[in-house]
Amino acid sequence: MHRGQVICKSTKLGNYRAAIDMEATHKTALAKGDLGILEKKPAPTLVGFGKEFLVWATAQFREKPKTLAFYQNGIRRLSEYQPLASLVLDDERIKERLTDYITKRQTPTTVGEKHRKALQVSSINRELQVLRRLLNLAVERKRINSAPKIEMLSGERHRELVLTPAEQARYLAAASPLLFSVATVLVNTGLRLEECYRLRWESISWDGVIYQSGGWEAESVAIGDVNGDGHPDLVVANFCLTYPSCNNGGIVSVLLNNGNGTFRAAVTYGSGGDYSYAVSVADVNGDGDPDLVVLSQCVIGSSNCGSAKGVVGVLLGNGEGAFRAAVIYSSGGSYPVSIAIADVNGDGKPDLLVSNECTTTRCTGTGAIGTVGVLLNNLTVTTTTQVTSSLNPSPINQPVTFTATVTSSSSVPNGSTLTFYAGTTKLGIGTTTNGVATLTTSFSKARPYTVKAKYAGDVFHKPSNGTLMQVVNL
């Protein structure tokens, strides 16, 4: 080292002590000015070292033609700008020339009849990456002492793949347990991978109470008073019951509210399909009791839904928090992801609208176009009305209670009205509770009366009448 500059020269001696003595003599001569500073080998130009760089790249990436082409194109474009290409690599003006080069690349030009568009930031950054690697290789091969710092331009639009809910569901369904756990944390928390890796239990705190959803991978939750106690209950759609045997049907779970902010353990029902994804609560059959509508990726046993379309499962409620087995319908496409319930045709009945990720099961080409399935509610059931009397025959002016019972495959809602007649004379109106309506009256004349209870029906239930011969004696 002499005045901050490293000087390397061989003594060509095999004896260590003799070499040390010669080194000391050489340093003394330098200090006295008897020897000039040894000139180092000049640094190569960018275009000159670019040839050496391409030889290295060809050997390094022979099995990766796309990577090799990336470096070849970068060197070609950098070499086209003569002020930069002719500059030696350790010239202090390299950053100044590089700024001019970037400005030129960002400016559209016209040469003769040829028009060159301005390059996007991402394209210029690829060329800067090639230059940065070239300079680093020059340092590694001791062609220059150090490389200037090459900054990437800001504003580049990175290519990112955003998974749809259905794609996310399929990915998690195929993942190993460990990968599934990591991916679930990343999706639900927004943590980066390295942050998730560093996560420890002592870093996690929970506010509130945690309840088991009743199945594996809870996907959706809906709220509704399903047992009529005035407290909102929880309904959860789960992919399946347990992992990894997840091709034996999705699960919908009901957690009844205790009325104090806590919930009972989940009660599970089959959703009618595999990989259940969304759930909604609504009275779809007009009996006044909340029902469940569940979306599933496919019918049960469809081998990971690879060749089957989505299904909609309808579970009719009994008003006490329990539900019948699911009745399934086609969703109208593949991989259904959300559902809405509304009367879309104005007939007073709630219809089902389902969004499907795509048309075909492969979700490729034209089949990748999303669809909306509209399931119109066409339920109309026949009813039967029967009338009984509390006292028959009865004395005149004796109160008599008539009971009318309306039955059907879908119960009539509470509060439905029945009109009671004696012949053509209207006696009064009764309202139903669990399909039963009553009316108490008396008769002032002794004779037989034809008592009729008339149920007018609604959009779901056809009308019906029941009659009874009431005998009134003196």
Side-chain angles (χ1 to χ4, degrees), residues 197-247:
Y197 177 76
R198 295 195 302 267
L199 200 61
R200 296 293 181 268
W201 279 113
E202 55 268 23
S203 304
I204 303 174
S205 63
W206 305 97
D207 293 327
V209 181
I210 299 175
Y211 297 90
Q212 297 295 324
S213 71
W216 180 73
E217 193 179 335
E219 291 292 341
S220 174
V221 63
I223 299 176
D225 180 13
V226 299
N227 62 347
D229 62 357
H231 304 301
D233 308 304
L234 304 182
V235 182
V236 184
N238 303 275
F239 247 29
C240 54
L241 185 62
T242 57
Y243 180 86
S245 57
C246 204
N247 59 352

Side-chain angles (χ1 to χ4, degrees), residues 132-289:
R132 184 163 58 184
R133 185 64 188 95
L134 180 144
L135 292 171
N136 288 336
L137 183 65
V139 172
E140 293 169 14
R141 296 194 171 186
K142 302 186 183 303
R143 306 301 296 275
I144 55 176
N145 291 330
S146 62
K149 187 176 181 181
I150 305 298
E151 299 277 357
M152 296 294 108
L153 300 182
S154 61
E156 180 174 351
R157 292 180 294 179
H158 297 282
R159 294 181 180 179
E160 296 176 344
L161 174 62
V162 179
L163 295 180
T164 66
E167 289 172 334
Q168 174 191 326
R170 294 200 300 275
Y171 173 81
L172 293 177
S176 64
L178 178 59
L179 183 57
F180 167 80
S181 298
V182 172
T184 301
V185 171
L186 296 181
V187 169
N188 292 335
T189 65
L191 291 174
R192 293 189 294 269
L193 186 59
E194 65 274 14
E195 292 173 329
C196 182
Y197 177 76
R198 295 195 302 267
L199 200 61
R200 296 293 181 268
W201 279 113
E202 55 268 23
S203 304
I204 303 174
S205 63
W206 305 97
D207 293 327
V209 181
I210 299 175
Y211 297 90
Q212 297 295 324
S213 71
W216 180 73
E217 193 179 335
E219 291 292 341
S220 174
V221 63
I223 299 176
D225 180 13
V226 299
N227 62 347
D229 62 357
H231 304 301
D233 308 304
L234 304 182
V235 182
V236 184
N238 303 275
F239 247 29
C240 54
L241 185 62
T242 57
Y243 180 86
S245 57
C246 204
N247 59 352
N248 52 3
I251 295 295
V252 59
S253 308
V254 177
L255 290 78
L256 296 178
N257 194 329
N258 291 319
N260 59 0
T262 63
F263 295 86
R264 304 179 203 174
V267 177
T268 60
Y269 301 87
S271 68
D274 269 344
Y275 306 109
S276 299
Y277 199 80
V279 63
S280 188
V281 179
D283 177 18
V284 298
N285 65 341
D287 63 357
D289 300 322

